[in-house]
Amino acid sequence: MLTIESLTHLGMGRASDGRSLLPRVLPGEEVEVAQDGTVRIVTPSTDRVAASCRHYKSCGGCAMQHAKDEFVADWKLGIVQKAVQAHGLAPDFRAVATSPARSRRRAKLSGRRTKKGAMVGFHGRASHTLVAVPDCQLVTPAILAIQPALEALTVLACSRKGEIDLTVTDAALGPDVFVATDKDLTPQLRVELAAFANQHGLSRLVWNDEPVVTINPPTQDFGGTKVTPPPGAFLQATKHGETTLLQAVEEITAKANRVVDLFAGCGTFTLPIAKRAEVHAVEGEAEMLNALDRGWREGHQLRKVTTETRDLFRRPLEPDELRHFDAAVIDPPRAGAEAQIEALARSEIKTIAMVSCNPITFARDAKMLTDVGFSMPWVQTVDQFRWSPHVEVVAPFTRK
């Protein structure tokens, strides 16, 4: 018999034997582990609930459906608090904002042909086994509804023994589907795929980075401005999460007239801010900036937006370039943006809104800023990756 003492930041339970890490358990539970690794809950936690999804036991898409929402929120807040406090920082921590079920607007599914047709779904935890998920509680109804069509697409796109990736994004005028496969795109297959897209109401179908057909622009709404992201471009996981992050960024930069948006992507923050301030958007991927620029030019009542394609890891904006701005917004990848943060620390900029999907690198970068005189009064935790170990944060930095 083992007792679960705590959870890791990945949701694995640390057992009382000092070496076992067990999945889908909760602190305080007594468990037995069979020789095949199967975990049996002997004494369940009061925080344990029945999973809301019937696929939970076999699917590897979720890690925490066995716990109450309140427990998951507290656990994720604790991950952020621990990372920040490890650097000696003590801001206020706002309540966690959790996206609702069935709100994930992008899903990366796998497809495989079968004797009877095809199967589309997620892999089991740490497994190559594919699990169909027709009642998935994560993704939007539009993504659920298209799964039978994705099975038909798999028959067209997948070799007999291979497997394909299907990235599906919920767009206003129909799903946006990106197919990653080793099958060649022949002229005949192109005709069949175009007919398929029309039949199933897709807005766009892309094959290994090559657009096959665009029936309607797969637009996303960024603060009232329509943008058509390039295939596979970064997008916040849920509209709720995007809105929550944007509200915090707007609060932080409310008094700024000139804003620089670092790692701007397709304009998640740039375009809403441009309703009241001039914005310079900097991003390493030219295609995303082109989409942002087109959205701005077709938008209404927006202030001036300029764009710059630049690798901010190798060539961060330096203090003399940052002196033109009242505030900076920075939303780097998981690795953080140490070089750009260091340049911001040396600059004279007064206000920074930092968004991050990694509490560890966020805390490291936050420490660098506070060491040179910035204050960080609060941190907002956003859980748009419901039932997973992932978490996002946003915080203000104001130079004293």
Side-chain angles (χ1 to χ4, degrees):
M1 185 90 67
L2 296 173
T3 300
I4 305 304
E5 297 182 339
S6 62
L7 294 187
T8 70
H9 69 285
L10 295 177
M12 300 292 285
R14 293 188 182 91
S16 53
D17 63 358
R19 62 180 184 275
S20 297
L21 291 175
L22 304 177
R24 298 181 178 181
V25 294
L26 294 173
E29 291 186 329
E30 295 180 319
V31 303
E32 290 181 346
V33 183
Q35 288 187 346
D36 64 357
T38 303
V39 178
R40 185 173 77 89
I41 309 299
V42 178
T43 307
S45 166
T46 56
D47 289 313
R48 179 171 287 275
V49 295
S52 59
C53 181
R54 67 183 177 92
H55 309 301
Y56 183 56
K57 286 186 178 180
S58 54
C59 174
C62 292
M64 295 298 294
Q65 277 197 15
H66 59 286
K68 291 179 179 178
D69 286 350
E70 296 81 3
F71 175 89
V72 176
D74 287 344
W75 169 63
K76 290 198 173 187
L77 180 60
I79 292 172
V80 175
Q81 289 175 326
K82 184 176 181 180
V84 170
Q85 292 168 351
H87 289 274
L89 305 175
D92 290 333
F93 290 92
R94 294 183 172 182
V96 178
T98 302
S99 294
R102 292 196 170 184
S103 64
R104 184 82 67 85
R105 59 183 174 183
R106 172 175 286 174
K108 186 175 182 180
L109 299 155
S110 295
R112 184 182 298 165
R113 292 179 66 173
T114 66
K115 291 181 179 179
K116 295 182 179 180
M119 175 186 290
V120 169
F122 295 120
H123 287 103
R125 186 177 61 84
S127 168
H128 294 293
T129 302
L130 194 59
V131 180
V133 288
D135 294 323
C136 176
Q137 299 297 302
L138 277 180
V139 299
T140 63
I143 294 179
L144 274 186
I146 199 180
Q147 288 194 36
L150 295 178
E151 293 175 3
L153 179 57
T154 299
V155 174
L156 292 174
C158 192
S159 60
R160 286 286 181 183
K161 296 183 180 181
E163 190 170 291
I164 62 172
D165 290 331
L166 297 157
T167 302
V168 185
T169 304
D170 191 349
L173 299 176
D176 183 13
V177 179
F178 184 104
V179 182
T181 175
D182 58 6
K183 192 170 183 178
D184 292 333
L185 181 59
T186 64
Q188 177 59 35
L189 182 54
R190 183 184 290 274
V191 171
E192 293 176 5
L193 291 171
F196 172 89
N198 272 287
Q199 178 185 353
H200 294 286
L202 305 188
S203 61
R204 179 172 62 184
L205 178 59
V206 179
W207 185 280
N208 290 338
D209 293 325
E210 183 176 348
V212 175
V213 60
T214 300
I215 299 169
N216 293 299
T219 59
Q220 299 293 332
D221 186 308
F222 295 149
T225 300
K226 304 295 184 184
V227 174
T228 301
F234 173 79
L235 189 68
Q236 296 292 345
T238 69
K239 191 64 180 177
H240 167 272
E242 178 188 291
T243 300
T244 304
L245 293 170
L246 175 59
Q247 287 173 344
V249 169
E250 291 270 34
E251 177 184 345
I252 297 164
T253 62
K255 296 180 180 180
N257 294 315
R258 296 168 300 170
V259 178
V260 60
D261 187 2
L262 304 165
F263 301 94
C266 294
T268 302
F269 303 122
T270 296
L271 294 168
I273 292 172
K275 289 190 284 189
R276 59 168 178 80
E278 294 184 1
V279 186
H280 182 56
V282 187
E283 164 62 47
E285 299 292 334
E287 284 190 352
M288 289 201 282
L289 285 181
N290 290 338
L292 187 161
D293 186 65
R294 285 193 299 270
W296 172 67
R297 293 179 185 280
E298 296 169 4
H300 301 286
Q301 297 182 327
L302 299 177
R303 302 284 297 277
K304 183 179 179 181
V305 171
T306 54
T307 60
E308 180 182 354
T309 304
R310 184 162 170 168
D311 183 342
L312 292 171
F313 294 105
R314 296 182 178 182
R315 242 180 13 106
L317 261 69
E318 296 295 341
D320 63 324
E321 299 170 284
L322 292 165
R323 63 187 173 83
H324 303 292
F325 306 106
D326 306 313
V329 177
I330 183 166
D331 183 12
R334 289 190 59 81
E338 195 168 8
Q340 185 60 75
I341 292 293
E342 193 273 335
L344 285 165
R346 289 187 288 108
S347 76
E348 296 180 1
I349 205 158
K350 298 293 192 294
T351 301
I352 301 170
M354 181 153 58
V355 181
S356 174
C357 60
N358 185 344
I360 302 299
T361 56
F362 166 81
R364 177 202 68 197
D365 294 346
K367 174 63 172 173
M368 192 182 303
L369 292 175
T370 57
D371 278 350
V372 297
F374 281 92
S375 63
M376 180 177 65
W378 52 264
V379 173
Q380 170 74 68
T381 300
V382 180
D383 181 11
Q384 59 177 328
F385 295 94
R386 189 182 180 96
W387 298 313
S388 83
H390 301 296
V391 65
E392 303 226 9
V393 294
V394 56
F397 294 84
T398 305
R399 197 180 292 274
K400 296 176 183 177

